[in-house]
Structure formats: structure tokens, C-alpha cells
Amino acid sequence: MTTSHILGYPRIGPQRELKFALEAFWQGRQSAADLQSTAAQLRAANWRTQRNAGLRFVTVGDFALYDHMLDTAALLGALPSRFGFDAATLSLEQTFELARGNAAQPAMEMTKWFDTNYHYLVPELDAQTSFEQGAQGLFDRVREAREAGHRPKPVLVGPLTFLWLSKSHRQGFDRLDLVPALSRAYARVLARLAELGVEWVQLDEPALTLELDTPWRDALPALYAALPAQAGVGRPRLLLTTYFEAATPAPATLATLPVDGVHLDLVRAPQQIARWRDALPPTWVLSAGIIDGRNVWRTDLAAALQTLRPLHDALGDRLWVAPSCSLLHVPVRLSAEDAPGARLNPEVRPWLAFAEEKLAELRTLATALNEGDAAVADALQENISALQARRLCPRVVLPQVRRRVEGLTEADARRASSYAGRRAAQQARLQLPPLPTTTIGSFPQTADIRAARAAWRRGELRHTDYLQRMREAIAVVIRKQEAVGLDVLVHGEAERNDMVEFFGEQLWGYTFSANGWVQSYGSRCVKPPIIWGDVWRPEPMTVDTARYAQSLTALPVKGMLTGPITLLQWSFVRDDLPRSQVALQLALAVRDEVDALQRAGIAIIQIDEPALREGLPLKRSDWPGYLDWAVRAFGVCAGIAQDDTQIHTHMCYSEFNDILPAIAALDADVITVETSRSKMALLDGFGAFAYPNDIGPGVYDIHSPRVPSAADMARLLRRAAQLIPPERLWVNPDCGLKTRGWPETEAALRHMVQAARELRRELQAQGRIGAPNPVAQPAATQAEGRCNGCAHSAA
């Protein structure tokens, strides 16, 4: 019988139960026992769902209260030494201090999980890391699943991937020196799982899909060297699990490892089955990742069976079927969209499958292989009908959008003047001081703001009343920024539920779920919109709000937009058109908004692209093609801007040093980046590369409740001023402030302004920057009459 299984399941719960329990615990409204009870209920529900779908195993270890990489580090006894915590006795409170920081230590660094929008905590290793006395949580979960009557399949981040994704801040230390000790730690964990009666363990090794340097490729056998050669003697059977791309090493190389099967992603890399079909070792299982774990579209079951049947004929019971990757990256269940307040386009709904529906698809495939198509004839016919309805829908293609994309020229993707010429025009217009202070965009979304939005969506608050509430919130944000002393303001984004969904709601070609939440990090969840057709902007999206905010102050207020690559990456994207073409459709929509904003007198426009690096193909040899069309899409957005319109962009929680030429090619006048958790280490590359435009390195971590002192921020700024010419430095937080509270936000921003002013005085005394012009008139005042008039007429 063909085995069906999954690599992981969403943790957050169908109604974000984990999010609310975590935040209640952090705020002191619930006890640790309450939080653990909620977590246990969610695990039990997930396991029941998997068993009811006919899966042979339930996954254990995929559920984490904050992050699975943090749990793996604790399991291995590899916690950051600077916290002084003992992994064997790690408390719940200490776990969250690692993730969120405490009064003495900033949080562990956080970055993107491969090319997804999930953020993991980066393990910190050094020569003293011993990989001993780890946490017991995984073993407790195995017992918990067994006691509930399930067959557990523990999920572990594999040794290569764990070590590759870790970091060391110690000069001269090579993580590869830890290979023997790490291999022994995995052997210890696997031996313990064998003692608990575990049959199979899933070792996640997505790093095997990368093009690793020779030392890392050579380390692979040593990382597995301490594992017993045969299952049943000191270890369970092991499924070597790759996903997100084709496995890079040859099958013969991986066949030398002490494992018992391999999982292949046949959605993103279907071509790899050709070299594995005949090379699979005779005792191994092949887990075929045939259902898309990263997107929400229904599987073409007939096409999947066409792929699977020859494998089933050749392998029999050694063929397993599965999603391509963990279902962590998709919402929990489509049936939640049937509740009151549903927003999903009813025409599009039958084309979709969330995690629970993907389990049903998996069951259909396994049943068809084991019992024949007749056993699932109704399900197969219903699938055919839904796919045909999507293909024939006349609203998917907009000819005018296709013509406009085809008509784009190279000149459309470039600014009219060089950065040097634009900088002079912008300085003359803006008259900003050296080291100008600003924020990234969002300010705290208070309970009142969220309640007003919820009431408006339920139809309990009139649209005009909702707009007035949002204007009141914007006025508060402007006043608070002026009081703090910021130089460039933002309107705070009170009206925006999400930086992607807000724009998608105003564009043709998108639809939206009411409960399609996925985890981004910790308790932070996002609800990606769904791009189902050609994208078109029917009218301005942000102009009235930006014009109103600017009318409240003489200081410049940034117009805030989300860039085309982030709109692409943070949506569930149609799979019937190349992503490069969808990106250009999005770019044209953003371009039109940039032009409308500058025509309304907005002098600074920020086009956020935090997902630019996230979209990189996993194989470096594929990077140039992606970067060419991604940079072009950004250029199409910004190319319409006049010389004295200053274009900003923002990027966060990614490694940028290896794509600096592409970032420079974006030619944004100012880029702001996350750097505080790495203590400005991410800025080293910008300095070495001699990044040519202005840059704002983040000086404090907004994802932690810790409020750093002005002295802390000044130290980071001094480091930044050693790497970047100070006349091109900006001062800002790492990211938006949406998830923070007002007291900590105001305190941190006051410290940030104090640090910037302190460094200005130091640099002026050293003659490295000039003094600001005390009589300069901000450009915003020049347009104030126009902005006030528009705002008044709209009131």
C-alpha cells in the first residue's frame, strides 16, 4: 500500500488560537499552564485531522510555540551562550527571552526561512558550543502522540541545514569545526527516539537544494558519520527530506548516507524525478512531493497520477505521496471561508485548496494508486470540473493590461537623471539636516483602530465614520512624531490591515480570505491575498490619505507603497502565468500610484521591498535571471518619479551582501535596512561595496519589547558612520512599528532622536558633516496650501 504523509501542518490553529494564547501569556493575562493547554489542544486537533485523512503517521516536532529552529537548538543543547541559559532546564519564560530579548540581551537574530516569508531564529554557535544536555520537549511530544493512539513521525531540522543556517559572531571561528560534535548530538537524539519506539524520523535538509561551497559539500558525510549505518540498531528509519528545489547532490552521493529514503519536491522541481527513478537504492522509499505546499491552488490530480503511476508500478509500497513541503506555509482550512463575513470571490473559491483540503487531495491520490480510479471517481471528476472552470474563466485575462506590459521600454524602468543630480534637487527641495531621522512606515495599531476596522468590515460602522476615525488616528501619529522630533514623518498606516492586503483590496485580479492566516514568526500572522487574474489599478489608492497627512505638518510626510516584488512574494500567486509577468503588472499599478502621489505634492515616496531577497532562487546559478526581472519591476515603479521626488525603499530580515549589485541597480535614493540584531554586521557589505546612494541602517529591533538606550543606538550609529559616509546616513528603526505599544514606541524614538543629535554634534565637531541650515523651509510647507485646500474640500 502506498503511504501518504505530510511534512508538517500549520501551528497557529484555524482561528489563530496560538497567536492569541501567546500574546495573552506575554501580557500577563494567562498563565504558562493556560498557554500549554492551548498548545496541547491544537496539537491534538492537528493529529486527529491527519489521522482522519488516512495518513499513516502524524508529524511530531513541527509544532513550535515560537520557532522550530529555536526548538532544534534547545534540543541539541546549542543555546546562545550570552543568555547563560541551560537547555536541559529551559523554562517557558527563558524560551521567549531568547526569541524576544530581555533587559540584558537583545533577541536572537531573525531571518527568512529559505525563500519563504516564514522567519526563523538564527542559532548562535561558538567554540564552547558542546551540543550536550538538550531540552526534552520533542520526546515529550512523541509520548503525547503515542498516548493519543497515533503513530508519530518526528520532524527534525537535519544537521547540514542546522549548521548552515547558524551563525557565529566570533572572529576566526569556523562552524565546520563543530561537525563531529553535532553529528554525535544527532546520534544521541535519534537513539532516544528509537528507545521510544519511533519507526521513522523525518530529517529536513532543504540546504541540500543549495549550491554549497566545497567545504560544506565535503562536510555532509561527516555530519552523518556518527549515525548508525542500519536502522533498528540505535536509530529509527530516516527520511532525508529536501524541498523548495531539486536536490543538488547526485543520488549516488546521497545514497552513501545512513538514511532509508528521500523526499523530493516534484512541484518546484519535477525534472529531478528523472535522475532518481533508476538511481534510488533498492531498500529506500521515495516520498514524492506532488501537492504544492506553498500555494493555495488545487492540484491537477489527473496530472499528478500520470506522474505517480509509473513510480508506483516500479516501487510498490516504497512509494510514499506527500505535499512538496510543510503545510506551514498555507492557511488551515478553506471551510472557514464559509462563515459570515466571508470575502472570498465565490467564482475563485472552487479553484483553491488550503491545508485541510490538501490532505483530502492526498487521500484521493493514495486511494487511486492503491485501489484504482473507480474508488475515487467522484473526487477526480469534481477536480476536473473545477480546473476546467478556472481555465475557461473570461475574467482572468485583461487585454489592456497585457498590451501595456508588452509596450514597456528600457527607458520606462530608469530614472531620468543620475543619483548625484537627483540628490542635489532633493536637498534643495527638502532641506533636511545631516543624519535625518525617520521611521519605516507603520505605527502601533491600537485596540481602537482594530475595533473600528472590524466594525466597518461587519457593516456596523459607516464608511464615512470609519474614514474619520482613521483621520483622527493619523493626526495623533503626526503630533506624536513632531513631539519626538523626527525630521521625516509618516502617516502611520492606521487604515492598513496589512501592507500587501491593503493594496490588493484596491486592485483588480485579487481576492481575499477572511481566515486564511499563515505564520510569519512567533505570534505574527499574515493573511496573504490571492492573485487569480491580471492585475489592474482602477483608481488612486493612497493619495487622499497622504494629502491629508501632509496637510497637518510643515515637515515632509512620506507616501507609503508596497513594491511589486513584495506584493508578489507575499501573495498566493496564480500559477498559470510566469511570475515575472505578474510582477510587471504589479509594477505598472505601483508606477501609476507614484505618479499620482508626486502630482499631489508628496516629496518623498517609499516603495517597500522587504521580500526582494526572499524571491531569489535557491540555486545561485539561477539568480541573474530573477534579479534582472525583479530590478526591472522596481525600476518601472520608480522610473516615473521626477528628480526632486525622493524614492525610498526598505528591506528587512534578510542577508543582502551577496546581492548588493542588484540592490544598487534599484537606484533608490534612500534604502533602509534591518541591521540592529546583527549589531551593524549586515552593513559591512554595504561599506565594502561602496554602496552609492543614501542608506538608513536600523538602530533598534522593533520585534523585541526591549527599549534600547540612546547610548546603545549611538554606538550602532558610530559603527555605521565608519562604514558609510555620514552625509549619506539616515537614522531609523529596523522595521515598522505596527506590533508595538505606544509607550515603548515613544520611548525608543526619543532615544533614537537623541542618539542622532548626539552623533550630529560629534561629526560636526570633527568636520565630517556640515551644520544644518537653521532657516531652511521644508518643501512640505511650499505645498501646504494645496494640501490644506484638498484636505478641507474633502472634509
Side-chain angles (χ1 to χ4, degrees):
M1 297 285 287
T2 293
T3 291
S4 59
H5 74 119
I6 61 172
L7 310 189
Y9 202 72
R11 311 163 179 157
I12 58 173
Q15 300 297 326
R16 293 180 292 163
E17 292 88 344
L18 181 59
K19 168 190 173 66
F20 298 125
L22 283 168
E23 292 173 356
F25 174 72
W26 294 336
Q27 295 161 12
R29 294 186 286 108
Q30 284 193 5
S31 67
D34 293 331
L35 173 58
Q36 295 287 20
S37 175
T38 298
Q41 291 172 31
L42 288 171
R43 286 192 298 269
N46 287 353
W47 292 336
R48 283 195 301 272
T49 298
Q50 293 171 51
R51 183 172 65 183
N52 292 342
L55 303 189
R56 178 178 171 189
F57 304 105
V58 300
T59 53
V60 173
D62 57 328
F63 186 96
L65 286 175
Y66 200 96
D67 170 54
H68 62 280
M69 277 292 283
L70 174 59
D71 286 0
T72 304
L75 174 71
L76 297 171
L79 300 180
S81 58
R82 59 189 172 89
F83 281 89
F85 296 159
D86 181 353
T89 59
L90 189 70
S91 69
L92 195 61
E93 291 78 8
Q94 289 173 332
T95 298
F96 294 133
E97 287 178 33
L98 292 164
R100 306 176 74 227
N102 58 29
Q105 292 292 337
M108 294 171 66
E109 188 176 338
M110 186 164 61
T111 194
K112 300 289 179 70
W113 178 254
F114 293 86
D115 59 348
T116 75
N117 189 34
Y118 178 78
H119 301 67
Y120 72 94
L121 292 166
V122 181
E124 300 172 18
L125 308 178
D126 56 37
Q128 281 68 52
T129 303
S130 61
F131 299 112
E132 295 178 356
Q133 302 299 317
Q136 302 298 301
L138 178 66
F139 311 124
D140 293 338
R141 300 291 83 78
V142 167
R143 283 189 285 265
E144 183 182 334
R146 279 199 173 281
E147 289 167 4
H150 304 297
R151 296 172 73 179
K153 171 170 64 70
V155 179
L156 285 175
V157 176
L160 175 68
T161 298
F162 179 82
L163 196 61
W164 173 258
L165 295 180
S166 301
K167 279 191 173 181
S168 175
H169 300 297
R170 302 290 176 88
Q171 290 289 334
F173 173 71
D174 187 347
R175 283 168 291 154
L176 290 173
D177 293 342
L178 297 174
V179 165
L182 181 59
S183 183
R184 291 192 296 272
Y186 272 85
R188 182 185 71 240
V189 169
L190 293 172
R192 182 74 184 279
L193 291 172
E195 291 171 3
L196 293 173
V198 168
E199 303 168 64
W200 279 91
V201 171
Q202 174 184 315
L203 281 179
D204 281 3
E205 288 286 22
L208 285 171
T209 67
L210 306 175
E211 293 170 333
L212 299 174
D213 296 335
T214 299
W216 284 90
R217 294 197 304 270
D218 292 346
L220 180 62
L223 282 163
Y224 282 76
L227 277 58
Q230 299 295 324
V233 183
R235 69 165 176 85
R237 294 181 179 181
L238 302 179
L239 182 69
L240 188 71
T241 305
T242 66
Y243 44 79
F244 300 152
E245 244 295 354
T248 301
T253 299
L254 296 183
T256 64
L257 300 178
V259 299
D260 307 280
V262 64
H263 172 86
L264 303 176
D265 185 337
L266 300 184
V267 174
R268 284 200 157 190
Q271 74 283 357
Q272 65 179 323
I273 195 61
R275 69 172 185 164
W276 275 95
R277 185 181 291 110
D278 298 323
L280 190 75
T283 60
W284 278 24
V285 302
L286 172 64
S287 172
I290 200 71
I291 290 173
D292 194 345
R294 292 278 297 272
N295 214 331
V296 294
W297 304 104
R298 292 183 84 155
T299 304
D300 185 334
L301 296 180
L305 286 170
Q306 210 167 13
T307 298
L308 292 172
R309 281 204 173 95
L311 298 174
H312 185 253
D313 292 342
L315 300 175
D317 293 351
R318 292 194 294 132
L319 175 66
W320 292 10
V321 292
S324 58
C325 62
S326 171
L327 298 177
L328 171 73
H329 309 288
V330 296
V332 178
R333 63 171 65 115
L334 189 57
S335 60
E337 302 307 311
D338 298 332
R343 306 168 61 204
L344 202 59
N345 183 329
E347 185 173 31
V348 176
R349 188 193 186 284
W351 309 346
L352 305 176
F354 292 176
E356 201 166 278
E357 290 70 36
K358 291 178 186 291
L359 295 187
E361 291 183 330
L362 200 58
R363 183 171 203 157
T364 298
L365 291 174
T367 303
L369 291 172
N370 291 326
E371 303 176 27
D373 289 1
V376 284
D378 290 346
L380 291 174
Q381 183 56 52
E382 195 267 340
N383 179 264
I384 291 170
S385 299
L387 296 177
Q388 184 177 31
R390 182 184 176 197
R391 281 193 297 267
L392 298 178
C393 177
R395 284 161 290 282
V396 169
V397 175
L398 297 179
Q400 71 272 26
V401 173
R402 299 290 176 103
R403 287 193 298 268
R404 196 174 175 203
V405 169
E406 291 169 3
L408 283 170
T409 67
E410 289 306 309
D412 290 328
R414 291 195 304 267
R415 300 288 292 275
S417 301
S418 68
Y419 163 73
R422 300 195 310 266
R423 191 171 194 272
Q426 292 160 18
Q427 280 289 88
R429 182 181 185 185
L430 295 168
Q431 295 291 307
L432 295 172
L435 277 71
T437 55
T438 189
T439 63
I440 302 305
S442 63
F443 269 82
Q445 291 257 327
T446 64
D448 287 345
I449 290 172
R450 293 194 298 270
R453 184 182 300 116
W456 172 61
R457 289 200 182 281
R458 292 192 302 266
E460 299 168 3
L461 187 66
R462 291 186 306 174
H463 186 65
T464 53
D465 293 335
Y466 175 68
L467 291 179
Q468 183 57 33
R469 298 270 189 95
M470 295 303 101
R471 285 196 166 196
E472 291 167 0
I474 290 167
V476 168
V477 167
I478 295 293
R479 288 196 301 270
K480 286 180 179 288
Q481 291 175 93
E482 288 181 324
V484 164
L486 294 173
D487 301 306
V488 173
L489 312 187
V490 297
H491 78 280
E493 303 182 10
E495 80 288 5
R496 303 185 187 184
N497 49 348
D498 176 86
M499 66 183 291
V500 174
E501 184 173 348
F502 171 80
F503 289 97
E505 287 175 328
Q506 302 178 76
L507 295 170
W508 176 267
Y510 272 91
T511 189
F512 309 90
S513 64
N515 296 290
W517 298 97
V518 295
Q519 185 182 27
S520 179
Y521 63 87
S523 69
R524 172 79 167 132
C525 301
V526 294
K527 187 153 53 68
I530 300 165
I531 302 176
W532 63 272
D534 286 349
V535 177
W536 173 58
R537 169 189 173 270
E539 61 186 5
M541 301 179 284
T542 66
V543 174
D544 285 345
T545 299
R547 186 185 282 136
Y548 170 70
Q550 185 62 81
S551 76
L552 300 175
T553 181
L555 294 167
V557 180
K558 292 191 282 189
M560 301 299 303
L561 305 176
T562 302
I565 303 306
T566 300
L567 289 169
L568 183 83
Q569 287 294 126
W570 292 1
S571 298
F572 291 120
V573 183
R574 57 191 297 188
D575 57 359
D576 60 345
L577 189 70
R579 293 173 74 88
S580 58
Q581 292 298 299
V582 181
L584 287 175
Q585 292 181 2
L586 291 162
L588 285 170
V590 177
R591 176 187 179 91
D592 291 346
E593 193 70 10
V594 169
D595 194 32
L597 283 168
Q598 68 180 355
R599 289 175 184 273
I602 304 303
I604 304 178
I605 301 171
Q606 183 167 308
I607 307 171
D608 285 335
E609 283 293 20
L612 179 74
R613 195 188 193 285
E614 177 185 312
L616 279 173
L618 295 185
K619 297 191 188 303
R620 188 178 287 263
S621 57
D622 295 331
W623 286 12
Y626 162 75
L627 289 171
D628 282 349
W629 62 256
V631 168
R632 184 182 184 220
F634 186 91
V636 167
C637 300
I640 195 69
Q642 299 164 359
D643 283 359
D644 64 353
T645 298
Q646 190 172 78
I647 297 294
H648 290 220
T649 192
H650 171 66
M651 300 180 183
C652 58
Y653 295 98
S654 289
E655 298 283 357
F656 304 115
N657 292 348
D658 46 8
I659 59 166
L660 283 172
I663 292 176
L666 297 177
D667 198 24
D669 298 303
V670 182
I671 181 173
T672 54
V673 293
E674 175 276 321
T675 52
S676 70
R677 284 197 180 194
S678 67
K679 297 181 175 60
M680 295 287 167
L682 286 175
L683 206 58
D684 290 343
F686 283 88
F689 177 74
Y691 182 75
N693 299 11
D694 285 16
I695 184 167
V699 296
Y700 80 91
D701 176 20
I702 65 88
H703 294 92
S704 170
R706 177 177 179 266
V707 176
S709 66
D712 290 337
M713 297 190 204
R715 276 194 293 273
L716 292 178
L717 282 174
R718 291 187 189 99
R719 166 75 173 141
Q722 294 171 353
L723 299 167
I724 304 294
E727 66 272 13
R728 293 199 279 108
L729 272 179
W730 285 61
V731 181
N732 45 263
D734 271 344
C735 202
L737 300 163
K738 175 181 177 180
T739 61
R740 301 267 58 93
W742 269 114
E744 64 194 277
T745 295
E746 290 180 276
L749 290 178
R750 286 194 185 96
H751 293 172
M752 187 184 82
V753 170
Q754 181 182 341
R757 290 173 176 171
E758 178 183 331
L759 190 61
R760 278 179 202 155
R761 289 191 295 269
E762 290 179 12
L763 295 173
Q764 286 161 5
Q766 297 166 11
R768 297 179 64 193
I769 59 173
N773 182 354
V775 296
Q777 182 78 353
T781 307
Q782 300 166 13
E784 195 172 1
R786 179 170 67 251
C787 293
N788 276 328
C790 295
H792 177 74
S793 64

